[in-house]
Amino acid sequence: MATTLNERKEEILRAVVVNYIKTAEPVGSRTVARAYPVGLSSATIRNEMADLEEMGYLVQPHTSAGRVPTQLGYRYYVDNLLEEDQMIMDDGFDISNSLSAEKMREIEQIITYSTRVLSQATNQTSLIMGPQFKKSAFHQIRILPLDDKRGLVVLITDTGFIKNKVINLQQQLSQTELHQVVSYLNQKLYGLTIDQVTTSLINELKRDLFRRLEILEQAFILLEESLKEEKQIRVFLGGTTNILNQPEFRDVDKIRRMLNLFEQEPLLFKILEDNSIEDDIVVKIGSENEFEDIKECTLITGTYRIHDKTLGTVGVLGPTRMDYGRVISVMRYLVNHLNKSLSSS
Amino acid sequence: MATTLNERKEEILRAVVVNYIKTAEPVGSRTVARAYPVGLSSATIRNEMADLEEMGYLVQPHTSAGRVPTQLGYRYYVDNLLEEDQMIMDDGFDISNSLSAEKMREIEQIITYSTRVLSQATNQTSLIMGPQFKKSAFHQIRILPLDDKRGLVVLITDTGFIKNKVINLQQQLSQTELHQVVSYLNQKLYGLTIDQVTTSLINELKRDLFRRLEILEQAFILLEESLKEEKQIRVFLGGTTNILNQPEFRDVDKIRRMLNLFEQEPLLFKILEDNSIEDDIVVKIGSENEFEDIKECTLITGTYRIHDKTLGTVGVLGPTRMDYGRVISVMRYLVNHLNKSLSSS
DNA sequence: TTTAGCACTCTAAGTATAAGAGTGCTAAAG
DNA sequence: CTTTAGCACTCTTATACTTAGAGTGCTAAA
């Protein structure tokens, strides 16, 4: 791990990684010789590559084939050899442009759009964990009577969430009664995060209010239910079909496993959440990932925040052979953009 | 088209179709002979099959292979030979059970859940067009002031839709002013479908109100915008990975084309909308479909409604080799269920 | 330390062969 | 006239074999 390679080995490792990322074919010594600026014969490079193989940075698929980077090889590349792409891409996809063009308003819209941009810019599958509702704080709660039997509960958080739910009211409420209840709730809940609203707190409120009004049983059950339900978080996916373009997913069986994974939101959530603790951008290569299903993939994540509070996580998932430079720089840009556009709304 | 087959040919055609649906392998005369109850030799059946081939109901992939149903063959099967499955399935998936188990409240939830059930019960991809917002009628509109700069517009339709949107108010509004505006809007809009709210009507309202209040410019722009935007309809997908289990999608290229299609919501919408005119359940086999991309598929659709108003369309999409009996009966059941559970909410 | 040369290994592609499934046709039987 | 047995024929699929090519490792010379 702590080993450092001499400059020539680094140069060769880089050449192999870059080439393999581009072509998905094992890289031979001759190919590296051509790519390597100083005239160095293929034989010399062969020797160096043999060394790199022994050290665990490269492997051969079979005895007489070129070399392919190992997980360790990619790791070294990412940690020591990587220069990030510049943002205006040569192949024409200009992320800064496509992000600023659309003026977006609602959080959900911003997220959906971001997954699309992210997957298009990276040619990988992108996943974004929506803002964590449960970590948001109450801003206010409102109850709108719809007709004599029904009301609309509206919940607004400091991070701009608006949740609503129709509830059935068993008995009719007068305007004043409703007003009383609502302002009491607002007073008690203001500033608390959704996380902090436990069942016991709700029960306490319920008892408190019962003394004054005996009508709201229904409303409370529904409030409680609504909170429970909203604790789960949506994961937004983009460009899932991009994996079909990767030669490592030539196999229908692998495709199936991958797409199945994509349909399991709770699992995706766990995968992303795992990384959301850390700051900045995290690159997890192959088995560095905890989860069995993506042991052959690389997951690159970043977190976006509002007023220094972590809101959610952005991820790109693809084969370990991935254009690290590009993905990282795109993600860096996107996270910045999200930070800005979410805090301004 | 108007041709009718004699009973023996029908029996044989059915045997071929049923067998091919089950095995995905061309069906030979010997296989049919075994399946055919009366002792009839394979040679006889061979002759009959040759006839059926000439009439266009069967084809051979190559000279010395069994037969496969043509589009016409499937059509005849669906129109004349089909007995629907009973609902409690032998393979253990009990749709009536899984539908009644969950008590669902919100429309979106019901739909999402239905796609899952439908795809699981049929092993195909299911698609459901959400209730058509634009065909719903205004029930009421509300404006909730959030703080001094922002308000929340809430729109409720007769079909149970609740849409909301935060708007920025340029100037502060007093409670009474707001109340006036809202009740005016409700009075004017009540009972109109979203479709009927044209830009010109909005302009008229705007002019009307301007005479009394000069503050609401912002609110109106946003109302307008919000309407425009909501005219697009979501299509919900389920079990997209099921196509990977079909041998006809062994080819990665076909998979890609299919999955790409699934990512294009407007196209899916068109595909479904095309069928929503008709009543009951519609089976479109192969090139009976208008759309190039699904010329090799069968699409089975049904419509669900509330108070005799068509709300949306349910579809199952898969290869022409599809268990028609099962899909149709599942769909019939689901549509009934949707009709009931949507009208009761 | 680098490089040229060469034997060696392994894959991928192409060819040949054989087995098997299913047909169509003919002629006999019902 | 219909049904059936028999048989030659066709086409696909699987298996084995061969070959070309890419790339290596090693040795010995520069």
Side-chain angles (χ1 to χ4, degrees):
Chain A
M1 287 283 163
T3 347
T4 315
L5 302 173
N6 65 43
E7 196 177 339
R8 197 164 77 184
K9 283 204 173 57
E10 284 198 339
E11 222 46 63
I12 290 173
L13 177 58
R14 162 185 284 134
V16 173
V17 172
V18 168
N19 217 283
Y20 186 65
I21 284 177
K22 202 154 57 191
T23 64
E25 300 280 312
V27 184
S29 53
R30 246 189 75 79
T31 316
V32 176
R34 263 199 310 268
Y36 194 58
V38 181
L40 213 52
S41 83
S42 64
T44 313
I45 300 201
R46 255 198 310 280
N47 289 330
E48 294 284 30
M49 281 167 86
D51 288 354
L52 284 169
E53 173 155 17
E54 206 179 1
M55 296 187 220
Y57 295 105
L58 299 176
V59 269
Q60 298 180 279
H62 52 269
T63 352
S64 71
R67 257 82 173 194
V68 165
T70 61
Q71 180 173 320
L72 197 64
Y74 284 122
R75 172 50 62 196
Y76 192 93
Y77 172 74
V78 169
D79 289 345
N80 305 300
L81 308 175
L82 190 59
E83 307 138 358
E84 294 183 22
D85 280 6
Q86 57 277 44
M87 281 314 303
I88 310 291
M89 307 299 179
D90 19 352
D91 61 6
F93 192 87
D94 179 357
I95 184 184
S96 62
N97 204 357
S98 51
L99 274 177
S100 60
E102 190 110 341
K103 48 175 186 220
M104 299 168 290
R105 214 163 249 116
E106 310 288 351
I107 285 189
E108 186 150 327
Q109 234 179 310
I110 296 179
I111 302 289
T112 314
Y113 188 69
S114 298
T115 56
R116 203 161 61 229
V117 170
L118 188 54
S119 64
Q120 273 174 13
T122 61
N123 283 313
Q124 307 287 352
T125 300
S126 65
L127 33 174
I128 302 193
M129 195 165 75
Q132 299 216 31
F133 182 68
K134 64 179 177 185
K135 289 197 182 152
S136 306
F138 265 105
H139 193 78
Q140 42 179 330
I141 189 170
R142 295 293 182 94
I143 299 180
L144 263 179
L146 296 181
D147 44 43
D148 23 329
K149 286 196 304 268
R150 303 184 307 161
L152 178 71
V153 181
V154 181
L155 202 71
I156 299 151
T157 70
D158 62 341
T159 47
F161 270 101
I162 299 166
K163 294 279 173 193
N164 57 30
K165 199 168 183 74
V166 178
I167 60 172
N168 291 312
L169 302 168
Q170 275 178 327
Q171 287 170 259
Q172 213 173 322
L173 283 176
S174 78
Q175 276 291 344
T176 14
E177 284 169 327
L178 209 58
H179 193 73
Q180 275 180 9
V181 174
V182 169
S183 57
Y184 173 80
L185 286 176
N186 273 321
Q187 183 196 326
K188 282 291 190 182
L189 295 175
Y190 187 83
L192 293 179
T193 68
I194 310 294
D195 251 357
Q196 293 169 319
V197 182
T198 57
T199 313
S200 59
L201 175 57
I202 289 189
N203 280 333
E204 186 190 318
L205 292 178
K206 219 187 302 189
R207 247 175 300 132
D208 245 30
L209 279 172
F210 266 5
R211 268 175 235 143
R212 291 194 268 169
L213 310 156
E214 291 163 357
I215 332 169
L216 274 179
E217 175 83 53
Q218 262 272 335
F220 263 112
I221 291 174
L222 282 159
L223 175 64
E224 206 173 341
E225 213 175 71
S226 139
L227 285 175
K228 213 183 299 162
E229 175 187 301
E230 294 302 349
K231 273 184 186 168
Q232 73 203 14
I233 304 162
R234 280 211 57 193
V235 174
F236 298 78
L237 276 170
T240 51
T241 56
N242 281 348
I243 66 162
L244 298 179
N245 300 322
Q246 316 290 348
E248 23 273 282
F249 289 94
R250 226 176 294 122
D251 180 16
V252 179
D253 224 56
K254 274 192 192 164
I255 295 178
R256 181 183 302 124
R257 258 177 289 151
M258 225 39 202
L259 291 184
N260 267 331
L261 173 67
F262 292 154
E263 289 199 342
Q264 292 170 29
E265 210 170 319
L267 196 54
L268 294 180
F269 170 62
K270 267 194 214 142
I271 289 173
L272 280 180
E273 197 189 30
D274 233 40
N275 289 9
S276 69
I277 319 142
E278 319 210 22
D279 263 356
D280 207 38
I281 285 171
V282 181
V283 179
K284 291 211 169 163
I285 302 167
S287 65
E288 294 170 9
N289 287 295
E290 300 281 322
F291 296 87
E292 199 54 41
D293 310 78
I294 56 170
K295 283 267 193 279
E296 292 183 9
C297 295
T298 284
L299 175 69
I300 302 186
T301 54
T303 55
Y304 61 94
R305 53 201 83 224
I306 187 171
H307 314 314
D308 278 340
K309 190 196 302 194
T310 298
L311 272 189
T313 307
V314 180
V316 166
L317 186 65
T320 46
R321 183 189 64 84
M322 169 190 288
D323 191 339
Y324 290 89
R326 173 157 197 162
V327 173
I328 292 176
S329 64
V330 168
M331 180 159 311
R332 187 158 284 149
Y333 191 90
L334 178 66
V335 167
N336 274 338
H337 184 85
L338 281 177
N339 287 344
K340 257 182 260 160
S341 65
L342 287 179
S343 64
S344 74
S345 79
Chain B
M1 284 284 163
T3 346
T4 315
L5 301 174
N6 66 43
E7 198 179 336
R8 197 165 76 184
K9 283 204 173 55
E10 284 198 340
E11 221 46 63
I12 290 172
L13 177 58
R14 162 185 285 131
V16 173
V17 172
V18 168
N19 217 285
Y20 185 65
I21 284 175
K22 203 155 55 188
T23 65
E25 299 281 311
V27 184
S29 53
R30 246 189 77 78
T31 316
V32 175
R34 263 199 311 268
Y36 195 55
V38 182
L40 213 55
S41 82
S42 64
T44 313
I45 301 200
R46 248 193 321 275
N47 287 331
E48 295 284 31
M49 282 167 85
D51 288 356
L52 284 169
E53 174 156 14
E54 206 178 359
M55 296 187 222
Y57 294 106
L58 299 177
V59 268
Q60 298 180 280
H62 52 268
T63 350
S64 71
R67 257 83 173 192
V68 165
T70 61
Q71 181 174 319
L72 197 63
Y74 284 123
R75 171 52 62 198
Y76 193 93
Y77 172 75
V78 169
D79 289 345
N80 305 301
L81 307 175
L82 190 59
E83 306 138 358
E84 293 182 22
D85 280 4
Q86 57 278 42
M87 280 317 302
I88 310 290
M89 308 297 180
D90 19 351
D91 60 6
F93 191 87
D94 179 358
I95 184 185
S96 61
N97 203 357
S98 51
L99 273 177
S100 60
E102 191 109 341
K103 47 172 190 229
M104 300 168 290
R105 212 163 252 116
E106 311 287 352
I107 285 190
E108 185 149 330
Q109 234 179 311
I110 295 179
I111 302 289
T112 315
Y113 188 68
S114 297
T115 55
R116 204 161 58 229
V117 170
L118 188 54
S119 63
Q120 274 173 12
T122 61
N123 283 314
Q124 306 288 351
T125 300
S126 65
L127 32 175
I128 302 192
M129 196 166 74
Q132 298 215 32
F133 183 68
K134 65 179 175 183
K135 289 195 182 154
S136 306
F138 264 106
H139 193 81
Q140 41 179 330
I141 189 171
R142 296 292 182 95
I143 299 179
L144 264 179
L146 296 181
D147 46 41
D148 26 327
K149 285 196 306 265
R150 303 184 308 161
L152 179 69
V153 180
V154 181
L155 204 69
I156 299 153
T157 71
D158 62 341
T159 47
F161 270 100
I162 300 167
K163 294 279 172 193
N164 58 31
K165 198 168 184 74
V166 178
I167 60 171
N168 292 313
L169 303 168
Q170 274 180 328
Q171 286 171 259
Q172 213 171 322
L173 283 176
S174 76
Q175 276 291 345
T176 16
E177 284 168 327
L178 209 56
H179 191 73
Q180 276 179 7
V181 174
V182 169
S183 56
Y184 174 80
L185 285 176
N186 273 320
Q187 183 196 326
K188 282 290 188 184
L189 295 176
Y190 186 83
L192 293 180
T193 68
I194 309 296
D195 250 357
Q196 293 168 319
V197 183
T198 56
T199 312
S200 59
L201 174 58
I202 290 189
N203 280 332
E204 185 192 319
L205 292 178
K206 219 188 300 189
R207 246 175 301 132
D208 244 31
L209 279 172
F210 265 4
R211 268 175 234 142
R212 290 193 270 167
L213 309 156
E214 291 163 354
I215 330 169
L216 275 180
E217 174 85 54
Q218 262 271 332
F220 263 113
I221 290 172
L222 282 159
L223 176 65
E224 206 174 340
E225 212 174 71
S226 141
L227 285 176
K228 211 183 304 160
E229 175 186 302
E230 294 301 350
K231 272 184 187 167
Q232 74 203 15
I233 303 163
R234 280 211 56 192
V235 174
F236 298 78
L237 276 170
T240 51
T241 57
N242 282 348
I243 65 162
L244 300 179
N245 300 321
Q246 316 289 350
E248 23 273 284
F249 288 94
R250 226 177 294 122
D251 179 16
V252 180
D253 224 54
K254 275 191 191 165
I255 295 178
R256 181 183 302 124
R257 257 177 291 150
M258 226 37 203
L259 292 183
N260 268 333
L261 173 67
F262 292 153
E263 289 198 343
Q264 290 169 32
E265 213 171 316
L267 198 52
L268 294 179
F269 170 64
K270 267 196 216 140
I271 289 173
L272 280 180
E273 197 189 30
D274 232 41
N275 289 9
S276 69
I277 318 141
E278 321 211 22
D279 263 357
D280 206 37
I281 285 171
V282 181
V283 179
K284 292 213 169 161
I285 302 167
S287 65
E288 294 170 9
N289 288 295
E290 299 283 321
F291 296 87
E292 199 53 42
D293 309 80
I294 55 170
K295 281 266 193 279
E296 293 183 9
C297 294
T298 284
L299 175 69
I300 301 185
T301 54
T303 55
Y304 60 95
R305 51 200 85 225
I306 186 172
H307 314 313
D308 279 337
K309 190 195 306 191
T310 298
L311 272 189
T313 306
V314 180
V316 166
L317 187 66
T320 47
R321 184 189 64 82
M322 167 190 290
D323 190 340
Y324 290 88
R326 174 162 197 156
V327 173
I328 290 175
S329 64
V330 167
M331 181 159 310
R332 187 157 284 147
Y333 191 92
L334 179 66
V335 167
N336 274 337
H337 184 86
L338 281 177
N339 287 343
K340 257 182 261 161
S341 66
L342 286 179
S343 65
S344 75
S345 78

